[in-house]
Amino acid sequence: MQAELDERRSKLMPELIEEVKRTRAFGDLSENYEYKAAKQAQNRNKSRIRYLERMIASARVYEDKSGADEVGLFDSVELWLPDDGESETVQVVTTVRCDPLKGLISKESPLGKAILGHKVGESVNVQLENGYSYTAEIRSVAKGSDDGSAPLLQY
């Protein structure tokens, strides 16, 4: 996050300021699409900078205290879902890196909370907010670490 913030402040911001100046010189601002697009890009960058600053200011460091045979943060877990009759592989990540469509589930999600700290062979009950629940059996755990390859959420 800090690297992205530094890049946006030191490189991207000056480029966007110059682009706004350049497109402003095209004339009538009411019909100047390039100027509007440059301003939008500049505003998106400012918004992203504010977001990153808030994320860094409120960040907490989590230590993975799971054992070698337990599900921990950044581990890949193969689950058997008896209700569906199929298996699924997920990786438990932090909330700023989650992408459920790619199998990256947040440690704060119902499934993430349910499987953290459990071992291979254990069945867990995943309780959803609407009162619905389902069972998942942990088939395998591959220990992992945060290698930075999972992108940060945009907003």
Side-chain angles (χ1 to χ4, degrees):
M1 282 190 266
Q2 187 64 50
E4 181 184 349
L5 180 60
D6 293 342
E7 173 79 11
R8 286 181 175 277
R9 282 182 179 156
S10 65
K11 185 176 180 206
L12 191 56
M13 183 62 80
E15 290 174 3
L16 292 171
I17 290 170
E18 284 303 313
E19 182 65 11
V20 169
K21 287 179 185 176
R22 186 182 71 78
T23 57
R24 174 180 241 138
F26 291 169
D28 184 9
L29 297 182
S30 67
E31 295 181 14
N32 188 339
Y33 174 76
E34 290 85 1
Y35 174 76
K36 289 178 185 176
K39 285 297 284 183
Q40 286 175 346
Q42 186 181 39
N43 289 336
R44 279 193 304 273
N45 187 54
K46 287 179 181 179
S47 177
R48 182 68 176 169
I49 287 171
R50 285 190 304 272
Y51 171 78
L52 290 169
E53 287 171 341
R54 283 192 309 271
M55 292 299 292
I56 291 169
S58 64
R60 293 180 299 196
V61 175
Y62 288 97
E63 288 186 44
D64 182 17
K65 297 178 183 177
S66 64
D69 58 345
E70 295 177 335
V71 176
L73 197 56
F74 302 109
D75 294 348
S76 291
V77 182
E78 181 185 355
L79 302 169
W80 171 252
L81 305 170
D83 295 347
D84 298 337
E86 59 186 45
S87 65
E88 177 180 337
T89 300
V90 297
Q91 184 180 18
V92 181
V93 296
T94 60
T95 54
V96 296
R97 296 204 185 271
C98 69
D99 187 350
L101 297 177
K102 293 181 180 175
L104 303 172
I105 62 160
S106 167
K107 65 180 189 60
E108 302 293 331
S109 69
L111 179 58
K113 286 179 183 177
I115 64 175
L116 275 175
H118 289 276
K119 299 178 181 182
V120 173
E122 292 184 356
S123 290
V124 295
N125 186 43
V126 181
Q127 187 68 42
L128 304 177
E129 291 178 7
N130 62 2
Y132 177 76
S133 66
Y134 63 94
T135 301
E137 180 185 321
I138 300 170
R139 291 276 171 98
S140 68
V141 176
K143 298 307 271 181
S145 63
D146 183 10
D147 60 5
S149 63
L152 297 174
L153 290 177
Q154 289 302 307
Y155 294 96

